[in-house]
Amino acid sequence: MRAGKLALSRERLRASYKNACRMEIEALKPGNVHLFADGHGMSAAQFMTSAEVSSGPLTDPRLPVGQRMLEAVRATRLAVATNTNLGIILLAGPLICAAEMGGDRLRDNLDSLLRALSVQDTKAVFEAIVTAAPGGLGEAANDVRQEPKVHLLDAMREAADRDMIARQYSNCFGDVFGVGLAALDGALAREEDGMWPTVFVYMAFLAGFPDSHVIRKHGVHVANQARQEAVAVQAALHAEGDEPSRIRLLMEFDRRLKADNINPGTSADLTVATLLVHTLALTLHNRGVGA
C-alpha cells in the first residue's frame, strides 16, 4: 500500500499503536487485564509484549492489510503463546492502513480501504482468526476454518449482530468513531486526566453493549447482567470525583467479574481502537489533514 500526501511515517504509526495499547493496559478496566490486576491466566506484561511484537507486522508497508494482521497474530502467538490481541489486531490493522494512505479524512480512507479488501485479505484474516482462537469470530455463517466463500465485509456483516468487532467492519467503525470518541472527548472536556479518559471509554462500551466475548463464553444473559452493572458503576464514577474512591469502586467491580471468570475483552479491544483513532486523527490534523 502506497502512502499518500501527508501520510504518517511507519515510525509514527508504530508509536501510535503501541501507545494506544499501553494506555489501555494501564487503565483500570473492570474484568479485564490491567496494571492494577492480572486475570484470566494472562498478565499485563503479556499484553505489552504483544503490542510490541505485533506493531512491526501491522505497520509493514510491504504487506497488504490482511497479511499484516495474520503476521501480527503469528508474532503474538510466538511471543506469548496465547490469544491476547486478536480483536485489537483486527481493529488496528485497517485503521493503521487508512492513516498510512494520508491525503483526506481518516474515516473516508477507512471506508475506501474496507471496500477494497481482496480475496487474499479475506483468506489472511480467516487464517489469523484460526491461528489466534479457533471457533471464534464468524464461525456460524462462514466457517473461518474453510476457504472463504464471500468477501470479508460480507462475512463480517453476517456476524455483526453477534460480534462487535465484526460490526465495526460492517459500519465503518461506527461505534469506535461514535460511542468511543464521544466518551473520550467528554472525559477530556471534563479535564479528566491520567487513566480516566481511557476508563470512561471502556465503561461506555461495557455499559452500552453486551460484550461479545462475554456472550461467547457465558451467554447473552450473563453479558446483559454485566452490562447492567456497568451502567450503575459508570453513573457512580461520574458522580464521584475522588480518585481513591473511584479506584475502590472499580476494583470491587473488577473482583466480582473475575470471580465469575467474566472478561469483557471486546470492550477492551474497542477501547484500544478508540485511543488509536484519537491519536491518528490528532496527528493527521496537526499535519494539515482532517479526521
Side-chain angles (χ1 to χ4, degrees), residues 99-198:
E100 190 180 85
M101 291 163 66
D104 297 313
R105 300 166 68 86
L106 179 60
R107 199 171 179 195
D108 289 343
N109 287 351
L110 180 63
D111 182 63
S112 297
L113 182 141
L114 292 174
R115 293 176 185 276
L117 291 170
S118 68
V119 173
Q120 292 303 315
D121 288 319
T122 304
K123 290 180 179 179
V125 169
F126 278 22
E127 186 175 348
I129 294 168
V130 170
T131 300
L137 181 69
E139 181 174 350
N142 293 287
D143 195 327
V144 294
R145 295 168 299 185
Q146 299 177 4
E147 190 78 6
K149 300 179 178 65
V150 296
H151 188 277
L152 182 59
L153 285 189
D154 292 328
M156 292 297 193
R157 289 188 188 105
E158 289 189 23
D161 63 344
R162 63 183 182 274
D163 190 287
M164 283 291 289
I165 291 173
R167 174 167 151 157
Q168 303 319 299
Y169 277 74
S170 70
N171 67 12
C172 196
F173 286 50
D175 301 300
V176 172
F177 281 88
V179 174
L181 284 184
L184 182 58
D185 290 342
L188 294 174
R190 297 192 304 273
E191 299 185 343
E192 300 279 0
D193 58 9
M195 71 174 178
W196 295 107
T198 303

Side-chain angles (χ1 to χ4, degrees), residues 245-262:
S245 298
R246 280 179 163 184
I247 290 174
R248 283 194 297 272
L249 176 69
L250 291 175
M251 287 300 297
E252 289 169 1
F253 189 22
D254 185 66
R255 285 189 289 268
R256 290 195 298 274
L257 290 173
K258 287 175 178 172
D260 292 328
N261 196 32
I262 295 172

